[in-house]
Amino acid sequence: MAEHIESVMITTEQIKEAVSRIAKQVTEDYKGKDLVLLTVLKGSLPFAADLMREIDLPLTVDFVRLSSYGNLSYSSGKVTMRDGYFPPVEGKDVLVVEDIIDTGLTLSYLSEEMMNKGAASVKICTLLNKAARREKPVKVDYLGFEIENEFVIGYGLDYDERYRNLPYIGILKLDD
Ligand code: 5GP
């Protein structure tokens, strides 16, 4: 698959270090709380799987799939919960695990919905952040890496559903 990669942006080793650093902080911050790791499918799957195994606390996990209307280059800004499933978050300390925050539309919607459904607290953990692209404000509580405005793939992130299984994060090589 390496021939489809323009360059490696974040190596497997760097990802591991970031996961350990964040997990340590979460372990300190959530002592005595009713922690739910809420994974946003599909892209956050590897990050959440690695993170949860390094958090040294009792916790539960849950998953959501979200739909954003529009296509690859245009988003209408309307986000909804897919599959009609809403995780039971009432009274829980929810830590949303996200692969990347771009415009912020997805997470501002999700955080608001969870507070409306009675979560005790909602915090956001993202592996990658493109702050320069923000349209809606989102408070990032735990961050892996701030990145430039590049389209990245790997470690959960896809291009047309592929490349999610790369163990590093790279920039896709586009055909001329
Ligand atoms: P937001 O609502 O913050 O604009 O969108 C976040 C979602 O957009 C991410 O969960 C991801 O699915 C997608 N996304 C944003 N930037 C990238 C990128 O560089 N690469 C990939 N593969 N997906 C991205």
Side-chain angles (χ1 to χ4, degrees), residues 98-106 130 150-152 157-158:
E98 180 62 300
D99 48 2
I100 186 164
I101 308 178
D102 187 35
T103 61
L105 294 171
T106 307
K130 290 185 193 170
E150 303 264 18
F151 189 83
V152 289
L157 289 151
D158 74 311

Side-chain angles (χ1 to χ4, degrees), residues 40-44 66 68 72 75 77 79 98-109 126 128-130 133-136 138 147-154 156-160 162 164 169-170:
V40 184
L41 293 172
K42 303 176 188 172
S44 310
L66 301 169
S68 147
L72 278 180
S75 165
V79 182
E98 180 62 300
D99 48 2
I100 186 164
I101 308 178
D102 187 35
T103 61
L105 294 171
T106 307
L107 282 199
S108 62
Y109 161 82
T126 186
L128 306 175
N129 188 38
K130 290 185 193 170
R133 293 257 311 155
R134 203 66 95 249
E135 289 173 25
K136 284 234 174 171
V138 171
I147 64 165
E148 298 295 315
N149 185 20
E150 303 264 18
F151 189 83
V152 289
I153 53 169
L157 289 151
D158 74 311
Y159 176 71
D160 204 13
R162 294 172 65 209
R164 293 192 196 273
I169 291 164

Side-chain angles (χ1 to χ4, degrees), residues 1 4 153-155 157 159 161-166 172:
M1 262 194 299
H4 299 284
I153 53 169
Y155 196 65
L157 289 151
Y159 176 71
E161 291 299 328
R162 294 172 65 209
Y163 306 106
R164 293 192 196 273
N165 56 324
L166 289 176
L172 182 70

